[in-house]
Amino acid sequence: GQQVMQIPQYQHVQEGEDFTTYCNSSTTLSNIQWYKQRPGGHPVFLIQLVKSGEVKKQKRLTFQFGEAKKNSSLHITATQTTDVGTYFCARTGGSQGNLIFGKGTKLSVKP
Amino acid sequence: GAGVSQSPSNKVTEKGKDVELRCDPISGHTALYWYRQSLGQGLEFLIYFQGNSAPDKSGLPSDRFSAERTGGSVSTLTIQRTQQEDSAVYLCASSWSGSSTDTQYFGPGTRLTVL
């Protein structure tokens, strides 16, 4: 399956600032999943987007799936130190359910 | 119930030795995946088991890597004649049915260091 490109690779913000990470694919995606990995931890599922143009919110997190289903974004409003970690988008790798991960965006938050 | 568990949590081995990594998926989950995460990198798919079907080995980097899943539950990832480039965190995940829309639940990983 095609890779998913994720930008930026790193993001340093002051606590209270907003943060956005973007995930792009050259091919149409059936769905996109987002995971968060805390430092020293393992990936934890955040959300899955399936429909074109879909927008989902989890408290301060807003997830979007593009109209063409080729891109997605995760936006965090008013970051907190608890938001620190690496955020990965992932696409499914084909008929099987294995995931193809982007390289992630590592977020650091300065208190 | 309990989440995915993996053992050992850390493994240090000498180059050329064989290692076995274990994964206990969530009870009732039919699909099991192995991924590898090198330092500061994303996750690389290795192998996938679904029920009693033949595993999808398309992600294994070399024939030194193999995996088994006994009784549709516990899985063991074996790396023979380890090399320094095998050093990474090996993550196991399981999901209910293996559908492309299933949530995958990850274990804590095994950190492998090859000296």
Side-chain angles (χ1 to χ4, degrees):
Chain A
Q2 294 289 327
Q3 295 294 320
V4 285
M5 305 303 295
Q6 204 172 341
I7 55 170
Q9 188 175 1
Y10 301 96
Q11 186 76 56
H12 309 280
V13 300
Q14 192 77 34
E15 189 173 22
E17 292 181 339
D18 292 356
F19 159 76
T20 305
T21 174
Y22 300 89
C23 186
N24 298 295
S25 170
S26 59
T27 57
T28 302
L29 303 170
S30 58
N31 59 66
I32 193 86
Q33 299 185 13
W34 286 91
Y35 289 77
K36 177 184 179 180
Q37 185 174 25
R38 294 180 184 275
H42 58 275
V44 175
F45 174 80
L46 293 176
I47 207 138
Q48 177 174 236
L49 304 172
V50 179
K51 299 177 182 177
S52 168
E54 189 170 17
V55 178
K56 289 188 176 179
K57 293 189 176 184
Q58 291 178 350
K59 297 182 179 179
R60 294 177 295 104
L61 277 62
T62 302
F63 303 84
Q64 289 190 308
F65 203 8
E67 293 290 340
K69 300 182 72 173
K70 289 186 176 181
N71 57 75
S72 181
S73 65
L74 158 59
H75 179 81
I76 303 178
T77 304
T79 54
Q80 301 175 359
T81 55
T82 54
D83 296 325
V84 165
T86 301
Y87 292 85
F88 293 98
C89 62
R91 62 167 293 171
T92 50
S95 59
Q96 310 296 349
N98 65 282
L99 294 170
I100 297 175
F101 284 82
K103 292 194 179 297
T105 297
K106 186 174 182 178
L107 173 65
S108 62
V109 179
K110 187 176 181 181
Chain B
V4 178
S5 61
Q6 292 185 246
S7 60
S9 55
N10 282 284
K11 176 71 177 179
V12 180
T13 190
E14 293 180 347
K15 177 181 175 181
K17 301 282 189 182
D18 297 352
V19 295
E20 286 190 351
L21 313 179
R22 177 187 168 107
C23 171
D24 284 88
I26 293 173
S27 178
H29 281 191
T30 62
L32 186 148
Y33 308 82
W34 284 97
Y35 296 87
R36 176 170 72 174
Q37 186 173 31
S38 301
L39 186 62
Q41 298 297 311
L43 287 84
E44 173 191 7
F45 165 71
L46 298 177
I47 190 168
Y48 160 68
F49 294 90
Q50 170 56 49
N52 296 319
S53 302
D56 175 2
K57 304 179 181 180
S58 60
L60 294 178
S62 79
D63 58 8
R64 296 186 295 105
F65 287 72
S66 62
E68 291 184 341
R69 189 179 185 192
T70 53
S73 181
V74 172
S75 177
T76 303
L77 177 68
T78 301
I79 309 173
Q80 295 178 312
R81 305 181 301 282
T82 52
Q83 303 295 311
Q84 289 183 333
E85 61 262 29
D86 299 334
S87 295
V89 176
Y90 289 82
L91 290 156
C92 174
S94 70
S95 70
W96 183 250
S97 69
S99 159
S100 62
T101 56
D102 269 1
T103 298
Q104 294 189 19
Y105 296 88
F106 284 81
T110 294
R111 182 175 298 278
L112 174 66
T113 303
V114 182
L115 302 177

